[in-house]
Amino acid sequence: MKQIIDLTIEQAIEIVRRRIDETGTKEPLIQRQGRQRILIQLPGIDDPERIKSLLGKTAKLTFQLVDTNSNAFDVKSSGRVPPGKKLLESYSDDGQYFVVQRRVMVSGEMLTDARSSFDQNGRPSVSFSLTPEGGKRFGRVTARNIGKPFAIILDGKVVSAPVIQAQIFSSGQITGQFTVSETKDLSLLLRAGALPAPLTVMEERSVGPGLGKDSVEAGKFASIIGMILVIIFMFFTYGIFGLFANLALFINVTLIISLLSILQATLTLPGIAGIVLTMGMAVDANVLIFERIREELRGGRSVLSSVESGYKRAIGTIIDASLTTLIAAACLYGLGSGPIKGFAVTLSIGIITSMFTAIMVTRMLVVFYLRRNKPKKLVI
C-alpha cells in the first residue's frame, strides 16, 4: 500500500506540474508534503479558481459505444442497468443520460496531442491525435460501427455522443457545449494526462507581494548596475561603435521583456538572472565583431572592407557560441523544473534576440554611420 501511495503521489506531482506550468514560465514550487498531500506554491497567479478547477478534474478520457437497444430514461427510472452496460449523465448537466457499454474502446492514454479548435459549424471544440496503436483501434471500432453513436466520456460524464459517419483513424474532434476558454482548459488537461487519483484542496493561502519584494528589488538593482557598467565599458572601449552596441542592448532587453509578456511569464529571480546573463552575452557578440574589425584595420584594409570582413568572419563564431548555449538551455528546460525551466526560457529568448540585435541591428547602425559620414580613418 505504501508503494502504491508513493507511486500515485509521484505521478500526480508530475501531471500537476504539466497542467500548471506547460510553458515553464510560471515557476511553481510543487513538492510532496506528508504522506498523501502535495504542496503547490504559485507566484503571480491572478485567478486561483481556474487553477483549482484545472487540478480538481481527473481528466480521464474514454471512448465507449452507446447501447442503442436501451432507453436511458427507462433505465434511470427503474434503476436496472443491463449487464455489461452502465448509465452515465451528460457532461453539460442538462439532465440527459446515456446507456453505454462498459468496455472501453479507446482510452486517453493513447492520446498524443490535443488542441483547442473549431468544428465545421464554427463551434469551439477540441481536436486530438492518437498513437499508432490507438489509431488502429479507433479505425477498427469506427469501421465496424458506422451509423451508431460513439460516446466521448470525460471523468465519467458523456461530453457528446456523435454518430459514426465514416471510418476514423488517428485524429478526431471532441464537440459539445463548450466555450473557447473551456476548450483550451480541456485540451491542456488531456495533453497533461489523467490524474491517478482525484485531488482535493485541503488548504489555500494567499501571500502578498511584499514577502519577496526585497529580493526582487535587489535583483532589479543588480540588473540596472550591471547594465550601466556594461554601457560604460562598451562606450569607453569602442567609442561610437560602443554607442551602437549600447543602443542594440536596449532594443534587446525590450524584445526580451515583450516576448516574456506575450508568454504571460512570471518574472522572478531566476528570470532576472537569465536577463542579466543575456545582457553580457549580447555585448559579447559585439565585442567579437569589433575586435575582428580592429584586426582587419591593423592589417591595412580600408574602413568599409574591414567592417564587411569583420562581420563576415565573426558571424560563424557567434552562431556556434549561441547554438551551444541554446543546447544547454534546452537540456535545462527538458530536465529541470520550476525555477530552472523559467531560467532556461528566459535564457533561450535572450540568446535569440541578442543574435538578432548583434548581427542585424548594430550592423544597420554601423552601415548607416559609414555611409553618412564616410570616414577615411576609423577609431575603434
Side-chain angles (χ1 to χ4, degrees), residues 95-106:
Q96 189 177 4
Y97 286 83
F98 298 85
V99 179
V100 301
Q101 296 184 8
R102 285 187 174 274
R103 183 183 176 187
V104 175
M105 298 300 179
V106 179

Side-chain angles (χ1 to χ4, degrees), residues 64-79:
Q64 296 166 235
L65 288 169
V66 176
D67 182 19
T68 55
N69 297 321
S70 302
N71 186 292
F73 180 77
D74 294 338
V75 171
K76 185 177 183 303
S77 300
S78 63

Side-chain angles (χ1 to χ4, degrees), residues 33-263:
Q33 187 180 59
R35 189 163 178 254
Q36 298 181 357
R37 291 190 179 187
I38 299 173
L39 174 66
I40 304 171
Q41 294 180 356
L42 301 173
I45 296 298
D46 297 325
D47 189 5
E49 293 302 320
R50 179 175 176 268
I51 298 297
K52 288 193 289 184
S53 176
L54 286 175
L55 300 180
K57 295 177 181 177
T58 310
K60 184 177 181 181
L61 181 71
T62 59
F63 295 85
Q64 296 166 235
L65 288 169
V66 176
D67 182 19
T68 55
N69 297 321
S70 302
N71 186 292
F73 180 77
D74 294 338
V75 171
K76 185 177 183 303
S77 300
S78 63
R80 297 177 182 177
V81 182
K85 312 291 189 300
K86 58 182 178 179
L87 183 69
L88 299 178
E89 63 177 318
S90 173
Y91 190 80
S92 58
D93 294 329
D94 56 2
Q96 189 177 4
Y97 286 83
F98 298 85
V99 179
V100 301
Q101 296 184 8
R102 285 187 174 274
R103 183 183 176 187
V104 175
M105 298 300 179
V106 179
S107 64
E109 286 82 3
M110 298 178 180
L111 278 176
T112 58
D113 192 21
R115 298 288 170 185
S116 176
S117 63
F118 294 90
D119 62 12
Q120 295 178 347
N121 298 319
R123 295 175 300 182
S125 63
V126 176
S127 299
F128 64 88
S129 302
L130 298 169
T131 61
E133 180 187 353
K136 288 180 183 178
R137 187 179 297 184
F138 207 67
R140 188 165 58 247
V141 172
T142 53
R144 292 175 182 174
N145 297 277
I146 292 177
K148 296 180 181 180
F150 200 25
I152 303 170
I153 302 169
L154 180 68
D155 289 343
K157 293 185 177 182
V158 179
V159 175
S160 62
V163 176
I164 300 171
Q165 303 290 345
Q167 187 177 17
I168 305 171
F169 288 97
S170 59
S171 62
Q173 275 189 329
I174 301 174
T175 58
Q177 297 178 359
F178 297 123
T179 62
V180 174
S181 60
E182 286 175 343
T183 58
K184 290 180 180 179
D185 288 346
L186 178 56
S187 59
L188 171 62
L189 292 172
L190 295 178
R191 284 197 303 273
L195 285 167
L199 295 182
T200 303
V201 177
M202 302 295 294
E203 185 181 1
E204 177 186 355
R205 296 181 185 178
S206 296
V207 180
L211 186 64
K213 188 176 180 180
D214 292 341
S215 297
V216 174
E217 289 299 325
K220 288 181 181 178
F221 181 72
S223 304
I224 294 170
I225 292 297
M227 193 170 188
I228 291 172
L229 292 175
V230 167
I231 290 171
I232 293 172
F233 171 80
M234 292 298 293
F235 181 74
F236 281 99
T237 305
Y238 298 106
I240 186 68
F241 276 44
L243 179 62
F244 297 153
N246 292 334
L247 289 174
L249 179 60
F250 277 112
I251 296 172
N252 185 23
V253 174
T254 304
L255 287 173
I256 294 172
I257 295 173
S258 301
L259 290 171
L260 290 174
S261 299
I262 292 171
L263 291 174

